[in-house]
């Protein structure tokens, strides 16, 4: 991986990195924060939402004071492949910046949009090879990234020991954002969509017993709450399957990084207890 720039923050080191990905067939960018000390350290992977790059979380979430305190490496990848020759769409909720953390099977997306394989295979291996990790990791994210964190943790429980989310798209098979993206990337067969729907996975008991608790924060002033996010579907699924979910409805908070910055320390501590315990 090529280091593009480096900053010292809260006694640790923040690097912006770039590498050529054989999985996506494109250059991919990310940021990695390593806390002070010799390590090794557990890892928290953060997945961002629609339109974001690795820079949104890195500069706005304010996660690194807590990560330094708890001794956690934080990895924030980009949300999709990008560049010349990569398929895109004029709409902001599809294409570049909107990878939805799935492996696309439909043209023109299938050639490059392989974010599930990139994250669960290539990225984890690169980080473990380049940084002092314990090879123990959690995953979190916001909105589209919250969807990705939940579905990747549920589908790959061997890779993650903890999972949380901010304002996740709880059931993309039952909301406009998800129906549009999954239809484009995976085609018309909705049986293929179910594997990427956190509420349906939880209801089916996927990875039941692996995660002692899933933490979710949601602002009650979020403009996307009723139509797109639908966290009540996660609660219903958890009751049906016995999976413990803690849904914290935060009064007055919206969908912005101000919301995440207000509660990110809680999430870092949540993961630290599980990754270091």
């Amino acid at each position: 991986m090529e280091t593009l720039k480096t900053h010292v923050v809260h006694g640790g080191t923040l690097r912006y990195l770039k590498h050529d990905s054989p999985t996506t067939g494109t250059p991919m960018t990310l940021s990695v924060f390593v806390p002070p000390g010799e390590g090794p350290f557990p890892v928290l992977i953060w997945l961002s939402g629609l339109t974001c790059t690795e820079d949104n979380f890195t500069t706005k979430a304010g996660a690194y004071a807590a990560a330094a305190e708890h001794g956690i490496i934080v990895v924030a990848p980009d949300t999709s492949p990008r560049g010349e020759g990569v398929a895109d769409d004029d709409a902001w909720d599809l294409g570049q910046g909107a990878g939805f953390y799935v492996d696309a099977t439909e043209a023109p997306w299938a050639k490059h949009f392989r974010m599930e394989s990139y994250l669960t295979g290539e990225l984890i291996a690169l980080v473990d090879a380049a940084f002092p990790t314990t090879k123990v990791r959690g995953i979190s994210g916001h909105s589209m990234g919250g969807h990705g964190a939940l579905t990747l943790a549920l589908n790959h429980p061997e890779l993650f020991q903890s999972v949380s989310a901010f304002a996740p798209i709880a059931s993309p098979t039952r909301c406009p954002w998800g129906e549009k993206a999954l239809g484009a990337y995976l085609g018309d067969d909705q049986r293929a969509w179910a594997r990427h729907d956190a509420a349906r996975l939880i209801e089916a008991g996927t990875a039941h017993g692996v995660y002692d608790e899933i933490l979710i924060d949601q602002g009650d002033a979020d403009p996307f709450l009723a139509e797109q996010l639908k966290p009540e579907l996660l609660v219903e699924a958890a009751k049906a399957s016995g999976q413990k979910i803690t849904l914290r409805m935060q009064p007055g908070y919206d969908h912005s990084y101000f919301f995440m910055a207000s509660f990110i320390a809680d999430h870092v501590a949540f993961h630290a207890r599980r990754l270091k315990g």
Side-chain angles (χ1 to χ4, degrees):
M1 290 189 287
E2 175 190 358
T3 299
L4 302 177
K5 53 184 177 179
T6 303
H7 303 281
V8 174
V9 54
H10 293 291
T13 303
L14 174 67
R15 293 177 175 86
Y16 284 84
L17 302 159
K18 182 179 181 179
H19 69 100
D20 290 328
S21 168
T23 305
T24 67
T26 68
M28 294 296 293
T29 53
L30 64 149
S31 73
V32 178
F33 171 80
V34 179
E38 294 184 3
F41 307 103
V43 175
L44 176 60
I45 296 176
W46 172 269
L47 305 182
S48 290
L50 288 165
T51 76
C52 290
T53 70
E54 75 284 353
D55 197 45
N56 298 77
F57 173 83
T58 303
T59 58
K60 295 179 179 180
Y64 301 131
E69 175 187 353
H70 291 286
I72 302 287
I73 290 173
V74 181
V75 177
D78 198 354
T79 53
S80 79
R82 300 177 192 267
E84 185 177 351
V86 177
D88 201 6
D89 190 271
D90 291 337
W92 58 274
D93 56 355
L94 187 68
Q96 296 186 37
F100 266 81
Y101 305 105
V102 303
D103 286 352
T105 58
E106 300 297 302
W109 313 105
K111 181 178 180 180
H112 299 296
F113 281 72
R114 304 188 66 239
M115 290 299 292
E116 180 178 5
S117 291
Y118 170 71
L119 290 164
T120 59
E122 184 177 350
L123 180 67
I124 286 174
L126 280 171
V127 170
D128 283 345
F131 295 96
T133 79
T134 61
K135 296 182 172 60
V136 175
R137 66 192 69 83
I139 190 166
S140 187
H142 169 239
S143 193
M144 178 186 72
H147 138 77
L150 293 172
T151 57
L152 293 182
L154 292 166
N155 283 313
H156 301 276
E158 74 283 0
L159 296 179
F160 305 102
Q161 286 68 53
S162 58
V163 56
S164 72
F166 287 82
I169 302 173
S171 188
T173 66
R174 290 174 279 186
C175 75
W177 279 344
E179 291 167 358
K180 178 179 180 178
L182 297 181
Y185 296 143
L186 303 177
D188 295 332
D189 185 356
Q190 295 193 15
R191 291 174 297 181
W193 300 10
R195 186 176 172 275
H196 303 285
D197 185 308
R200 296 192 188 278
L201 289 171
I202 291 170
E203 185 177 22
T206 303
H208 178 67
V210 175
Y211 303 109
D212 67 320
E213 181 182 2
I214 297 172
L215 174 63
I216 296 172
D217 272 304
Q218 173 65 62
D220 72 0
D222 191 320
F224 305 113
L225 177 58
E227 183 181 21
Q228 303 283 10
L229 304 179
K230 303 184 179 183
E232 69 278 2
L233 296 178
L234 293 174
V235 175
E236 294 169 7
K239 288 179 179 178
S241 67
Q243 172 67 55
K244 182 179 179 181
I245 288 182
T246 298
L247 172 63
R248 307 194 305 184
M249 294 299 298
Q250 303 292 1
Y253 285 88
D254 57 19
H255 202 68
S256 71
Y257 272 88
F258 296 112
F259 163 51
M260 282 170 275
S262 300
F263 301 103
I264 192 68
D266 291 353
H267 283 246
V268 173
F270 171 87
H271 288 277
R273 288 192 295 270
R274 288 154 179 81
L275 302 180
K276 303 183 78 173

